[in-house]
Amino acid sequence: MVKKKIVALSTYLSELAVHGIQEKKGEDIVRLDLRNIHTSVADYFIIASANSATQVKAIADSVEKEIYKATQADPRHREGFESADWIILDYFDVVVHIFKTEKRHFYGIEELWGDAESTNYQSA
């Protein structure tokens, strides 16, 4: 008998998003687990940095591709492609934030959600 581990969809989506970021060499990848924070708007925030607007867009495209390939799901909302300083991909329970490095430090999302459990990932 083969035992299969059941993983919540939001956890799976967050893992796919991290993989998409790693594929395009995103930096400082962090997954914030917001499930135990009662005022949170999602289960997970995925946050990553990039060195240029071109790389921010490439990472966002990679995340969308990885999630679509595995689930046929498109983001409910996507924002920021015009300037590509900060792109948000909203998958309901998983929100992906891709920043140009200087913008990430300015907005400090990790500090705003300091009560969340965080997991750091390396670039691929």
Side-chain angles (χ1 to χ4, degrees):
M1 179 177 174
V2 176
K3 289 187 176 185
K4 291 188 178 186
K5 182 178 176 184
I6 297 175
V7 176
L9 179 58
S10 62
T11 302
Y12 181 56
L13 288 177
S14 74
E15 292 168 355
L16 291 169
V18 167
H19 179 71
I21 293 165
Q22 290 171 323
E23 287 292 305
K24 296 299 179 183
K25 308 290 189 234
E27 299 175 354
D28 299 322
I29 306 165
V30 176
R31 179 175 73 177
L32 298 179
D33 185 343
L34 306 171
R35 293 176 295 175
N36 293 322
I37 300 176
H38 301 296
T39 59
S40 71
V41 296
D43 287 351
Y44 294 100
F45 277 1
I46 310 300
I47 306 166
S49 300
N51 294 316
S52 68
T54 302
Q55 188 184 16
V56 169
K57 288 180 183 180
I59 291 169
D61 289 342
S62 179
V63 169
E64 286 188 85
K65 180 180 140 197
E66 289 296 322
I67 290 176
Y68 188 83
K69 185 170 56 174
T71 67
Q72 284 68 55
D74 288 317
R76 172 180 67 129
H77 182 75
R78 54 199 299 267
E79 189 172 321
F81 278 84
E82 302 77 34
S83 67
D85 286 335
W86 175 8
I87 290 179
I88 297 172
L89 301 172
D90 182 351
Y91 287 92
F92 295 97
D93 291 331
V94 176
V95 180
V96 181
H97 301 266
I98 307 154
F99 289 95
K100 281 177 57 181
T101 302
E102 65 273 8
K103 294 294 183 180
R104 179 175 180 174
H105 295 300
F106 178 78
Y107 288 105
I109 287 188
E110 287 99 328
E111 290 80 30
L112 293 174
W113 296 96
D115 293 343
E117 179 184 325
S118 68
T119 306
N120 296 301
Y121 296 87
Q122 298 296 319
S123 296

